[in-house]
Short mmCIF file of all heavy atoms in Angstrom, two decimals:
data_model
loop_
_atom_site.label_atom_id
_atom_site.label_comp_id
_atom_site.label_asym_id
_atom_site.label_seq_id
_atom_site.Cartn_x
_atom_site.Cartn_y
_atom_site.Cartn_z
N PRO K 255 -16.39 -5.65 4.22
CA PRO K 255 -15.92 -4.79 5.24
C PRO K 255 -14.42 -4.46 5.16
O PRO K 255 -14.06 -3.21 5.41
CB PRO K 255 -16.19 -5.55 6.61
CG PRO K 255 -17.32 -6.56 6.21
CD PRO K 255 -16.99 -6.88 4.83
N LEU K 256 -13.67 -5.38 4.65
CA LEU K 256 -12.30 -5.12 4.46
C LEU K 256 -12.06 -4.13 3.30
O LEU K 256 -11.23 -3.25 3.38
CB LEU K 256 -11.52 -6.52 4.10
CG LEU K 256 -11.88 -7.65 4.99
CD1 LEU K 256 -11.09 -8.86 4.43
CD2 LEU K 256 -11.51 -7.41 6.40
N ALA K 259 -13.04 -0.57 4.53
CA ALA K 259 -11.94 -0.09 5.49
C ALA K 259 -10.73 0.32 4.66
O ALA K 259 -10.14 1.35 4.98
CB ALA K 259 -11.59 -1.22 6.40
N GLY K 315 -5.77 -9.16 18.90
CA GLY K 315 -6.55 -9.69 17.77
C GLY K 315 -6.74 -8.44 16.79
O GLY K 315 -6.67 -7.39 17.22
N PRO K 316 -6.95 -8.82 15.50
CA PRO K 316 -6.98 -7.77 14.53
C PRO K 316 -8.19 -6.69 14.56
O PRO K 316 -8.04 -5.58 14.40
CB PRO K 316 -7.16 -8.48 13.17
CG PRO K 316 -7.65 -9.84 13.59
CD PRO K 316 -7.05 -10.12 14.93
N ALA K 317 -9.22 -7.28 15.11
CA ALA K 317 -10.40 -6.33 15.16
C ALA K 317 -10.22 -5.17 16.24
O ALA K 317 -10.53 -4.06 16.03
CB ALA K 317 -11.71 -7.13 15.61
N ALA K 318 -9.63 -5.56 17.34
CA ALA K 318 -9.41 -4.49 18.40
C ALA K 318 -8.31 -3.57 17.90
O ALA K 318 -8.42 -2.24 18.14
CB ALA K 318 -8.92 -5.20 19.60
N ILE K 319 -7.32 -4.00 17.21
CA ILE K 319 -6.31 -3.11 16.73
C ILE K 319 -6.80 -2.21 15.64
O ILE K 319 -6.44 -0.96 15.62
CB ILE K 319 -5.08 -3.88 16.15
CG1 ILE K 319 -4.47 -4.74 17.28
CG2 ILE K 319 -4.11 -3.12 15.43
CD1 ILE K 319 -3.87 -3.97 18.35
N VAL K 320 -7.64 -2.66 14.72
CA VAL K 320 -8.22 -1.79 13.68
C VAL K 320 -9.21 -0.78 14.31
O VAL K 320 -9.27 0.37 13.92
CB VAL K 320 -8.92 -2.63 12.73
CG1 VAL K 320 -9.73 -1.82 11.77
CG2 VAL K 320 -7.95 -3.48 11.83
N ARG K 321 -9.91 -1.22 15.32
CA ARG K 321 -10.89 -0.30 16.01
C ARG K 321 -10.08 0.87 16.59
O ARG K 321 -10.48 2.05 16.47
CB ARG K 321 -11.70 -1.01 17.02
CG ARG K 321 -12.86 -0.27 17.55
CD ARG K 321 -13.72 -1.02 18.52
NE ARG K 321 -14.39 -2.21 17.82
CZ ARG K 321 -14.12 -3.36 17.90
NH1 ARG K 321 -13.16 -3.96 18.76
NH2 ARG K 321 -14.80 -4.39 17.17
N ALA K 322 -9.06 0.61 17.36
CA ALA K 322 -8.29 1.56 18.04
C ALA K 322 -7.60 2.57 17.04
O ALA K 322 -7.55 3.75 17.15
CB ALA K 322 -7.22 0.94 18.97
N GLY K 323 -7.15 1.92 15.92
CA GLY K 323 -6.49 2.65 14.92
C GLY K 323 -7.43 3.75 14.32
O GLY K 323 -7.09 4.86 14.03
N GLY K 324 -8.66 3.36 13.98
CA GLY K 324 -9.61 4.27 13.43
C GLY K 324 -9.84 5.46 14.35
O GLY K 324 -9.99 6.66 13.89
N VAL K 357 -4.36 -0.57 9.47
CA VAL K 357 -5.56 -0.92 8.79
C VAL K 357 -5.17 -1.81 7.47
O VAL K 357 -5.68 -2.91 7.22
CB VAL K 357 -6.42 0.21 8.33
CG1 VAL K 357 -7.66 -0.24 7.52
CG2 VAL K 357 -6.90 1.01 9.63
N GLN K 360 -3.78 -5.45 8.06
CA GLN K 360 -4.70 -6.31 8.59
C GLN K 360 -5.86 -6.62 7.52
O GLN K 360 -6.49 -7.68 7.62
CB GLN K 360 -5.39 -5.73 9.96
CG GLN K 360 -4.38 -5.71 11.04
CD GLN K 360 -3.55 -6.96 11.21
OE1 GLN K 360 -4.19 -8.08 11.27
NE2 GLN K 360 -2.26 -6.88 11.22
N ALA K 364 -6.59 -10.46 6.56
CA ALA K 364 -7.81 -11.01 6.64
C ALA K 364 -8.30 -11.56 5.35
O ALA K 364 -8.93 -12.63 5.22
CB ALA K 364 -8.86 -9.98 7.17
N ARG K 367 -6.84 -14.90 4.76
CA ARG K 367 -7.53 -15.96 5.55
C ARG K 367 -8.83 -16.42 4.85
O ARG K 367 -9.26 -17.48 4.98
CB ARG K 367 -7.89 -15.53 6.97
CG ARG K 367 -6.65 -15.36 7.86
CD ARG K 367 -7.04 -15.18 9.36
NE ARG K 367 -7.87 -13.98 9.53
CZ ARG K 367 -7.38 -12.75 9.87
NH1 ARG K 367 -6.03 -12.66 9.90
NH2 ARG K 367 -8.14 -11.75 10.11
N ALA K 416 -13.32 7.86 10.97
CA ALA K 416 -14.13 7.42 12.16
C ALA K 416 -14.87 6.18 11.77
O ALA K 416 -15.25 5.39 12.60
CB ALA K 416 -15.11 8.56 12.53
N ALA K 417 -15.37 6.04 10.46
CA ALA K 417 -16.18 4.94 10.03
C ALA K 417 -15.49 3.60 10.18
O ALA K 417 -16.11 2.54 10.24
CB ALA K 417 -16.67 5.25 8.62
N ILE K 418 -14.12 3.68 10.03
CA ILE K 418 -13.28 2.44 10.24
C ILE K 418 -13.60 1.87 11.48
O ILE K 418 -13.54 0.53 11.53
CB ILE K 418 -11.84 2.73 9.99
CG1 ILE K 418 -11.50 3.25 8.63
CG2 ILE K 418 -11.01 1.61 10.34
CD1 ILE K 418 -10.12 3.78 8.31
N ILE K 419 -13.86 2.58 12.57
CA ILE K 419 -14.17 1.96 13.85
C ILE K 419 -15.31 1.03 13.75
O ILE K 419 -15.31 -0.05 14.40
CB ILE K 419 -14.47 3.08 14.98
CG1 ILE K 419 -13.34 4.08 15.02
CG2 ILE K 419 -14.82 2.51 16.23
CD1 ILE K 419 -13.64 5.31 15.78
N LEU K 420 -16.33 1.47 13.01
CA LEU K 420 -17.53 0.56 12.90
C LEU K 420 -17.34 -0.69 12.07
O LEU K 420 -17.99 -1.70 12.18
CB LEU K 420 -18.69 1.41 12.25
CG LEU K 420 -19.02 2.64 12.99
CD1 LEU K 420 -20.19 3.39 12.28
CD2 LEU K 420 -19.49 2.41 14.38
N LEU K 421 -16.28 -0.66 11.12
CA LEU K 421 -16.01 -1.72 10.24
C LEU K 421 -15.12 -2.77 10.93
O LEU K 421 -14.92 -3.85 10.30
CB LEU K 421 -15.44 -1.24 8.94
CG LEU K 421 -16.32 -0.35 8.07
CD1 LEU K 421 -15.47 0.23 7.02
CD2 LEU K 421 -17.44 -1.22 7.42
N ALA K 422 -14.50 -2.51 12.02
CA ALA K 422 -13.49 -3.34 12.59
C ALA K 422 -14.02 -4.74 12.83
O ALA K 422 -13.17 -5.69 12.93
CB ALA K 422 -12.99 -2.72 13.96
N ARG K 423 -15.26 -4.91 13.13
CA ARG K 423 -15.83 -6.19 13.51
C ARG K 423 -15.55 -7.20 12.32
O ARG K 423 -15.41 -8.43 12.57
CB ARG K 423 -17.35 -6.14 13.68
CG ARG K 423 -18.00 -7.44 14.10
CD ARG K 423 -19.52 -7.18 14.34
NE ARG K 423 -20.17 -8.41 14.70
CZ ARG K 423 -21.48 -8.52 14.95
NH1 ARG K 423 -22.20 -7.41 14.89
NH2 ARG K 423 -22.00 -9.68 15.18
N GLY K 424 -15.60 -6.74 11.14
CA GLY K 424 -15.24 -7.66 9.96
C GLY K 424 -13.83 -8.17 9.89
O GLY K 424 -13.60 -9.09 9.03
N PHE K 425 -12.98 -7.73 10.81
CA PHE K 425 -11.57 -8.25 10.82
C PHE K 425 -11.43 -9.41 11.77
O PHE K 425 -10.32 -9.98 11.93
CB PHE K 425 -10.62 -7.18 11.13
CG PHE K 425 -10.48 -6.05 10.08
CD1 PHE K 425 -11.52 -5.10 9.86
CD2 PHE K 425 -9.35 -6.09 9.35
CE1 PHE K 425 -11.31 -4.18 8.80
CE2 PHE K 425 -9.23 -5.07 8.40
CZ PHE K 425 -10.18 -4.22 8.17
N GLN K 426 -12.45 -9.82 12.54
CA GLN K 426 -12.36 -10.96 13.41
C GLN K 426 -11.89 -12.16 12.57
O GLN K 426 -12.51 -12.46 11.51
CB GLN K 426 -13.80 -11.11 14.15
CG GLN K 426 -14.11 -10.13 15.08
CD GLN K 426 -13.30 -10.35 16.38
OE1 GLN K 426 -12.39 -11.09 16.45
NE2 GLN K 426 -13.71 -9.50 17.36
N PRO K 427 -11.00 -12.94 13.10
CA PRO K 427 -10.60 -14.17 12.41
C PRO K 427 -11.78 -15.11 12.23
O PRO K 427 -12.60 -15.20 13.15
CB PRO K 427 -9.61 -14.78 13.31
CG PRO K 427 -9.07 -13.67 14.12
CD PRO K 427 -10.20 -12.77 14.32
N ARG K 428 -11.90 -15.80 11.12
CA ARG K 428 -12.97 -16.74 10.78
C ARG K 428 -12.32 -17.85 9.95
O ARG K 428 -11.26 -17.73 9.44
CB ARG K 428 -14.05 -16.01 10.12
CG ARG K 428 -13.69 -15.65 8.65
CD ARG K 428 -14.84 -14.83 8.04
NE ARG K 428 -14.91 -13.48 8.56
CZ ARG K 428 -15.96 -12.68 8.45
NH1 ARG K 428 -17.09 -13.17 7.75
NH2 ARG K 428 -16.00 -11.51 8.98
#
Side-chain angles (χ1 to χ4, degrees):
L256 313 180
I319 295 299
V320 171
R321 189 175 295 113
V357 180
Q360 292 315 305
R367 292 193 297 271
I418 293 174
I419 302 170
L420 304 178
L421 294 168
R423 183 178 178 182
F425 289 75
Q426 288 285 7
R428 65 187 75 198

